[in-house]
Amino acid sequence: MTKSDLSVLTQIETLSADQAEAELAALGEVLWACVQGGAGIGFVLPFEKQEAVAFWRSRLAGLGAGERHLLVARVDGRIVGTVMLELAPQDNGRHRAEVAKLMVHPEARRQGLAGKLLAAVEDLALSLARTLLVLDTVTGDTAESVYPKAGYSRVGVIPGYAQAARGGLDATTVFYKQLG
């Protein structure tokens, strides 16, 4: 499949809590495959598919309450990527949100899906009057290069921030982007 084929077949959509619940297995598959591939997204090995589904199930209430929003990328109808927008709940933070769980299934990488998901989550943030986005990612991971290309500014690195999927501790790099 070429990049141009993928762009025709790719659909980015926002899932409601009910839609996400109906897609728990597919969402779990993306998360599970990313963790198996060593992605530093909050989980350590061993990591079972039912744990991945349980993670997404634990996010349904926040989706239903409007505290977070879930976007997915589909190729030929199959979910192959995700990103969440976590809204800051504080009165003095109603202008900001966190970008979380940007994932692309290993089989669908290197096709520009991460960039498409970021662009879509930024559009969503603006529609919700959220003009400052923050995120963190494992320092040195291939995903780290995605954010500067999308206009995110690097704040710095926190050493020993999180346990790595395969053991040890990883540093995290913090980014932000002002929108609009």
Side-chain angles (χ1 to χ4, degrees):
M1 177 177 302
T2 68
K3 235 180 190 179
S4 61
D5 291 338
L6 190 63
S7 66
V8 171
L9 303 173
T10 302
Q11 177 184 1
I12 307 291
E13 64 183 270
T14 302
L15 297 186
S16 68
D18 289 342
Q19 291 168 321
E21 187 171 23
E23 297 282 8
L24 285 173
L27 292 165
E29 172 62 30
V30 173
L31 175 57
W32 180 83
C34 289
V35 173
Q36 296 305 311
I41 49 178
F43 304 93
V44 296
L45 297 172
F47 184 69
E48 304 299 327
K49 285 188 180 179
Q50 64 265 24
E51 293 174 89
V53 170
F55 165 79
W56 287 113
R57 186 174 286 113
S58 75
R59 296 304 183 251
L60 294 175
L63 288 170
E67 299 165 353
R68 71 177 45 98
H69 299 269
L70 173 62
L71 285 79
V72 298
R74 292 182 191 268
V75 174
D76 285 336
R78 177 180 166 222
I79 294 176
V80 296
T82 69
V83 66
M84 284 193 299
L85 188 68
E86 303 270 352
L87 305 181
Q90 303 87 350
D91 285 343
N92 70 350
R94 304 262 184 222
H95 66 290
R96 71 177 186 263
E98 181 178 354
V99 175
K101 300 297 181 259
L102 175 62
M103 298 181 270
V104 176
H105 194 289
E107 294 174 0
R109 290 187 182 152
R110 303 257 181 241
Q111 303 295 324
L113 289 175
K116 288 180 181 184
L117 284 163
L118 277 175
V121 83
E122 290 167 14
D123 288 345
L124 174 61
L126 281 172
S127 77
L128 298 170
R130 304 295 171 136
T131 57
L132 177 65
L133 297 181
V134 296
L135 63 89
D136 70 273
T137 190
V138 174
T139 304
D141 189 81
T142 54
E144 186 179 5
S145 66
V146 169
Y147 303 108
K149 290 176 187 172
Y152 286 76
S153 297
R154 184 178 181 267
V155 174
V157 174
I158 304 171
Y161 184 77
Q163 186 174 348
R166 300 190 189 287
L169 293 176
D170 281 331
T172 194
T173 303
V174 178
F175 290 93
Y176 76 94
K177 184 173 185 178
Q178 292 185 314
L179 305 175

